[in-house]
Amino acid sequence: DSGVTQTPKHLITATGQRVTLRCSPRSGDLSVYWYQQSLDQGLQFLIQYYNGEERAKGNILERFSAQQFPDLHSELNLSSLELGDSALYFCASSVGSGSANEQFFGPGTRLTVL
Amino acid sequence: ILNVEQSPQSLHVQEGDSTNFTCSFPSSNFYALHWYRWETAKSPEALFVMTLNGDEKKKGRISATLNTKEGYSYLYIKGSQPEDSATYLCASKMDSSYKLIFGSGTRLLVRP
């Protein structure tokens, strides 16, 4: 158990809908990262927050947005969902924001868009 | 190299064999190289983070080396066990941003 929690574990929804994925980092970690893993693709970095502020952005679609709240939990919002958005979404956390910080991954949320 | 590349894509070894795989990354603007172990139906677990050229790290039977000048890292597993079966991912920071770029992984299967 990494100490990072994600909810829900599974989510099934329809095209065009909007969903919110939630992540609570390990106690003491200030950085939260979101990753997407689609079928036959590696881990794709989406976005990073550090202490409430956006720190880095990857290949995140405009239909997707995220935020980190004062209590450091983070939410990833996915809207106008398409079939291709079906994937495993991981959240990770680390103490600092730099690239030398070990990241601890949550169990993931499996999103299925029908 | 413009991306993080791992080889081989998959590897089948017999229990007791030692094995190694490679991670190649852009050598310019290097900051850090991460190795993760990802078992099926679980989440990636950090093995090592290396930052200095010549770094060598070890955790039990698993060790890793880093060559930042030529842009590669090796991961070694000594005396592979079935429980070592997993996908091994490496990741590197490739520019001045904070994001890590992951390779596609090496899938290791250790046969009893």
Side-chain angles (χ1 to χ4, degrees):
Chain A
D1 183 359
S2 66
V4 179
T5 59
Q6 287 187 249
T7 55
K9 200 166 182 177
H10 300 279
L11 198 46
I12 301 174
T13 188
T15 53
Q17 295 299 303
R18 182 179 193 275
V19 297
T20 298
L21 313 184
R22 184 188 165 102
C23 168
S24 292
R26 287 188 327 155
S27 176
D29 284 358
L30 298 178
S31 268
V32 168
Y33 311 78
W34 286 98
Y35 293 91
Q36 179 193 56
Q37 197 227 350
S38 305
L39 200 62
D40 296 333
Q41 291 227 349
L43 275 174
Q44 300 291 318
F45 169 75
L46 295 177
I47 198 162
Q48 177 197 2
Y49 280 84
Y50 176 74
N51 205 20
E53 291 188 6
E54 183 184 304
R55 190 53 71 100
K57 218 166 185 175
N59 301 323
I60 187 166
L61 299 172
E62 282 190 19
R63 300 183 285 108
F64 296 1
S65 65
Q67 54 183 327
Q68 186 179 28
F69 294 87
D71 68 351
L72 302 176
H73 91 271
S74 178
E75 292 180 357
L76 179 67
N77 301 296
L78 315 176
S79 60
S80 303
L81 285 167
E82 301 175 0
L83 295 177
D85 297 328
S86 295
L88 192 51
Y89 291 85
F90 283 108
C91 164
S93 73
S94 66
V95 170
S97 63
S99 58
N101 284 275
E102 186 174 324
Q103 294 185 22
F104 295 85
F105 282 76
T109 292
R110 183 166 293 281
L111 174 66
T112 302
V113 182
L114 302 175
Chain B
I1 293 176
L2 300 176
N3 213 336
V4 179
E5 296 171 0
Q6 291 188 247
S7 62
Q9 198 170 22
S10 67
L11 196 51
H12 293 194
V13 301
Q14 208 61 40
E15 182 177 353
D17 288 349
S18 293
T19 187
N20 66 86
F21 13 98
T22 307
C23 173
S24 302
F25 54 87
S27 53
S28 58
N29 295 321
F30 174 82
Y31 286 88
L33 190 285
H34 295 229
W35 280 101
Y36 288 86
R37 181 171 178 275
W38 192 0
E39 286 182 75
T40 304
K42 293 189 177 179
S43 49
E45 177 191 343
L47 288 173
F48 307 112
V49 180
M50 296 185 287
T51 56
L52 299 176
N53 185 42
D55 251 357
E56 288 190 32
K57 296 221 170 172
K58 189 175 179 183
K59 191 181 278 191
R61 294 179 291 98
I62 304 177
S63 60
T65 61
L66 178 66
N67 183 323
T68 61
K69 295 191 187 310
E70 295 180 44
Y72 64 84
S73 175
Y74 293 136
L75 189 80
Y76 300 91
I77 302 179
K78 187 176 176 184
S80 303
Q81 300 296 308
E83 57 264 32
D84 296 329
S85 297
T87 295
Y88 291 83
L89 295 171
C90 71
S92 181
K93 191 162 95 82
M94 292 168 60
D95 55 33
S96 59
S97 75
Y98 290 89
K99 61 187 182 188
L100 274 182
I101 305 297
F102 280 81
S104 52
T106 291
R107 184 173 292 182
L108 175 68
L109 177 64
V110 183
R111 296 194 206 90

